[in-house]
Amino acid sequence: RSLTDTTYEPGLIVFPVLMSEPERVAGKLAAILKMPFPELISKLQKNKPAVILKKDLTPTEIEQIHQLGENGLCILPVKKRYGPAALAEHLVGYVAPMAPGVWEEMTITRSKTPLVWNWGGVLGWSEEHGYGRQDLIGVKGMERIYEEDLHFSSDAEGVLVLKDAANRPLNPTEIRLRNLVSAPEFFNRRKVVLTIDRDIQAVVEGVMDQRIPRGAVVVMDIATREVLAMASRPGFDQNKVAAYLDESTAVGVFRNRALDYYYPGSVFKIVVMAAALNEGLVDSKETFFCPGAFTVAENLTIPCWKKEGHGHLTLTEAFAQSCNPVFLEIGQRLGAPLLLKYAQYFGLTQAQLLGYPLSLGPALQIPNYPGAVANASLGQKGVKITPLMVASLMATLAGSGEYRMPQIVKRIQDQSNQIIREIAPGVAHRAVAPSTARELCGLLSEVTKTGTGKEAWVVKEGSAGKTGSAQSGQQDVSGEEIIDAWFAGYAPLNYPRYAVAVLVEGGESGGSSAAPVFREIIEKVLALKGENEGNK
């Protein structure tokens, strides 16, 4: 099922060789199409065989062009790479015309040496595959990474003009489409099959468009660790990339926030607790006291989010209420080496995604002294991870403590759906003992039942997870610090199937801004997939 929703739109194709007076026709077209006369003249040179002059014609333009009755003007369906139902624009990316000089560089050599560009991808073979000067190439996302495979899917049709022996058109007005799919040169057309579930992706994007102006959501299959949905906001129209270029640096519309590093805030307390439980440094029956702050060192005291303090609480209550002093104490017991060790076990020290090469370097740097460990224990300075990593962390715990690298591409197929190559699932390794994972999942369920994540509780099916409210270090236009609100969780509670990470840039808190988004997405996904019946 296509994520690009490739469709067709009416376009004006001009054959200058069939026109007797190009300048006169250009004058008429300039008025109809609202295009500059000099631009039209340059495109209607006699030495050009055919030109797609304009796509997506309006009904009025079509009628006016027909009324001209000029030879060489033909309105035909023109393929549109991204249709109205296109999804996952940040993941898919987009295509664009070749930059000046690229085509010339590609055709310098006639050898079969692959042409490798600065982003590390192979554009193709200049001799075997023959890029045309006007061809589009992948610039971002999957379009760029899999350019060599996807390029051949563009020219499945051509335009047929019948000529006589003197190369003159037999009937200049009789121009029609010709299907070229059966031609041998198109046997190499390929498909990149992703793990994305189109229905779940549509649910996620629909909810985000209503609730998250800026942020990201990732949905993973807990059993397979396949990414079922990945969305980032703000979005953009893949057909009108140039319209965003002036403002892209300000709002980052092309950023795939699902793969960007952020401070995770209290979400990282999951790692702190997992490490402490697995190492036997805390006991489930242990009690703590929160006076409202924790003194890390002589000159460093860190407050709890609840200013008056939580008083006496159990380990379960401390986790459910996300009590800072308790986690600061536990973090000091662990120290930086153990924190980093378990972060690595959970796949948080290096961004990885099967089928989608990532160039992000490590973003965990925790010096082994009390202040640095304290900040890291609260998911702040020294700790940055991506929404994808957060979803993977939740899937690892819900999957009995076994980590496996997330996957986004399943295989490459030819036009006959024969498999050309497959991407094997990642090799699993144990992050924490199954008993630790079970105990932590019990703590996560208390967050949604009685703690800071009650807004994420899913009626009937149940859910578990963790809130987070991270200081971003950035300020809004009024000078207020921007808070990144998180919720990471899974559902259904008794037979976990979906792990979800929600990030809301500029939210109020994880409990009020991100948790309700998680609940709405999960409820719609479970209804979509018939989980209600399964739970009965």
Side-chain angles (χ1 to χ4, degrees):
R1 301 173 63 193
S2 171
L3 286 174
T4 61
D5 188 39
T6 299
T7 185
Y8 289 85
E9 60 187 6
L12 174 59
I13 300 176
V14 179
F15 297 84
V17 69
L18 304 181
M19 301 170 64
S20 56
E21 300 178 71
E23 290 193 9
R24 178 180 59 82
V25 176
K28 295 182 178 180
L29 290 176
I32 295 173
L33 304 177
K34 307 295 188 295
M35 293 177 66
F37 179 77
E39 179 183 343
L40 285 173
I41 287 295
S42 67
K43 291 183 176 182
L44 300 184
Q45 300 299 315
K46 280 286 188 179
N47 59 343
K48 294 184 178 180
V51 178
I52 299 177
L53 204 56
K54 186 179 180 181
K55 301 178 182 179
D56 200 13
L57 296 171
T58 66
T60 300
E61 290 171 336
I62 292 173
E63 181 181 357
Q64 291 176 340
I65 291 169
H66 279 312
Q67 289 176 352
L68 292 180
E70 296 285 350
N71 289 342
L73 303 183
C74 185
I75 296 174
L76 291 171
V78 176
K79 183 177 288 186
K80 187 176 184 179
R81 178 65 170 166
Y82 310 108
L87 293 170
E89 66 266 28
H90 295 87
L91 176 63
V92 171
Y94 58 87
V95 296
M98 292 187 192
V102 171
W103 185 85
E104 287 78 4
E105 187 173 349
M106 290 173 68
T107 55
I108 287 174
T109 176
R110 301 297 294 177
S111 70
K112 295 183 179 181
T113 304
L115 298 165
V116 182
W117 300 98
N118 58 3
W119 46 265
V122 179
L123 278 181
W125 310 92
S126 60
E127 182 179 37
E128 291 182 344
H129 298 164
Y131 279 74
R133 191 183 293 269
Q134 303 299 321
D135 282 4
L136 303 177
I137 60 173
V139 177
K140 291 284 187 180
M142 289 288 179
E143 297 279 24
R144 183 181 76 171
I145 295 169
Y146 291 92
E147 165 66 24
E148 184 181 5
D149 296 294
L150 295 172
H151 176 73
F152 308 104
S153 63
S154 60
D155 297 315
E157 292 178 328
V159 177
L160 182 66
V161 180
L162 299 179
K163 297 182 179 181
D164 60 18
N167 204 35
R168 294 171 301 196
L170 291 175
N171 187 346
T173 62
E174 188 178 336
I175 301 171
R176 60 180 183 270
L177 290 174
R178 175 195 178 197
N179 193 336
L180 299 177
V181 171
S182 61
E185 60 266 32
F186 297 106
F187 285 168
N188 288 325
R189 294 190 306 122
R190 297 170 186 170
K191 305 172 186 177
V192 179
V193 182
L194 309 186
T195 62
I196 296 294
D197 183 309
R198 198 183 199 286
D199 296 326
I200 295 179
Q201 182 75 27
V203 165
V204 167
E205 294 197 24
V207 173
M208 290 186 73
D209 286 339
Q210 295 298 316
R211 286 180 169 267
I212 304 181
R214 296 190 188 183
V217 172
V218 177
V219 181
M220 287 184 64
D221 185 306
I222 292 171
T224 65
R225 309 303 162 88
E226 293 179 348
V227 177
L228 302 178
M230 178 185 288
S232 177
R233 287 296 180 270
F236 63 95
D237 186 341
Q238 293 152 294
N239 295 300
K240 300 177 181 178
V241 171
Y244 302 90
L245 294 179
D246 291 340
E247 58 177 332
S248 63
T249 54
V251 299
V253 295
F254 299 123
R255 283 175 51 201
N256 187 347
R257 286 166 162 79
L259 301 176
D260 272 358
Y261 282 131
Y262 291 85
Y263 293 117
S266 293
V267 168
F268 194 71
K269 291 175 181 176
I270 298 172
V271 179
V272 176
M273 184 63 77
L277 288 170
N278 210 59
E279 293 291 326
L281 296 177
V282 292
D283 186 278
S284 59
K285 297 179 181 179
E286 187 173 357
T287 59
F288 297 84
F289 181 74
C290 168
F294 182 84
T295 300
V296 180
E298 185 177 342
N299 60 345
L300 179 59
T301 298
I302 298 178
C304 184
W305 63 267
K306 188 175 182 180
K307 294 181 181 179
E308 65 273 23
H310 289 97
H312 292 281
L313 22 57
T314 64
L315 188 68
T316 299
E317 291 170 335
F319 192 88
Q321 298 301 324
S322 198
C323 177
N324 285 349
V326 172
F327 279 90
L328 289 167
E329 180 180 335
I330 295 173
Q332 296 303 313
R333 296 182 191 179
L334 285 165
L338 277 179
L339 274 177
L340 288 169
K341 176 182 175 181
Y342 278 88
Q344 183 176 9
Y345 287 166
F346 282 110
L348 305 180
T349 56
Q350 183 64 52
Q352 294 178 309
L353 179 58
L354 284 170
Y356 196 104
L358 296 172
S359 58
L360 299 174
L364 265 71
Q365 298 177 349
I366 310 175
N368 195 23
Y369 64 87
V373 172
N375 278 320
S377 298
L378 301 183
Q380 291 292 162
K381 186 177 180 181
V383 176
K384 280 191 173 183
I385 54 181
T386 70
L388 172 65
M389 289 176 170
V390 172
S392 176
L393 169 64
M394 197 55 59
T396 298
L397 292 171
S400 300
E402 194 172 71
Y403 171 81
R404 195 181 310 137
M405 190 186 302
Q407 183 169 358
I408 196 73
V409 177
K410 286 185 175 183
R411 59 187 173 272
I412 311 299
Q413 297 176 180
D414 64 18
Q415 64 171 353
S416 301
N417 292 328
Q418 296 298 308
I419 297 174
I420 296 174
R421 62 184 184 273
E422 286 188 282
I423 296 180
V427 177
H429 72 250
R430 184 147 295 286
V432 292
S435 58
T436 300
R438 283 194 299 272
E439 187 169 358
L440 196 47
C441 284
L443 296 176
L444 290 167
S445 67
E446 285 301 316
V447 173
T448 53
K449 291 176 182 176
T450 64
T452 58
K454 287 186 286 187
E455 288 295 320
W457 177 255
V458 177
V459 178
K460 293 185 180 179
E461 291 83 4
S463 59
K466 184 71 185 74
T467 58
S469 303
Q471 296 173 294
S472 68
Q474 300 176 335
Q475 296 180 334
D476 59 21
V477 292
S478 63
E480 295 292 324
E481 184 171 34
I482 296 173
I483 298 298
D484 290 333
W486 289 88
F487 187 85
Y490 64 82
L493 184 61
N494 295 327
Y495 54 106
R497 182 173 178 185
Y498 304 105
V500 183
V502 177
L503 166 68
V504 182
E505 287 187 20
E508 293 182 4
S509 69
S512 62
S513 300
V517 176
F518 167 89
R519 184 186 67 241
E520 183 174 349
I521 288 173
I522 281 293
E523 286 178 344
K524 290 185 176 182
V525 169
L526 293 180
L528 180 72
K529 299 299 180 180
E531 295 294 332
N532 292 345
E533 292 300 317
N535 202 30
K536 293 177 182 176

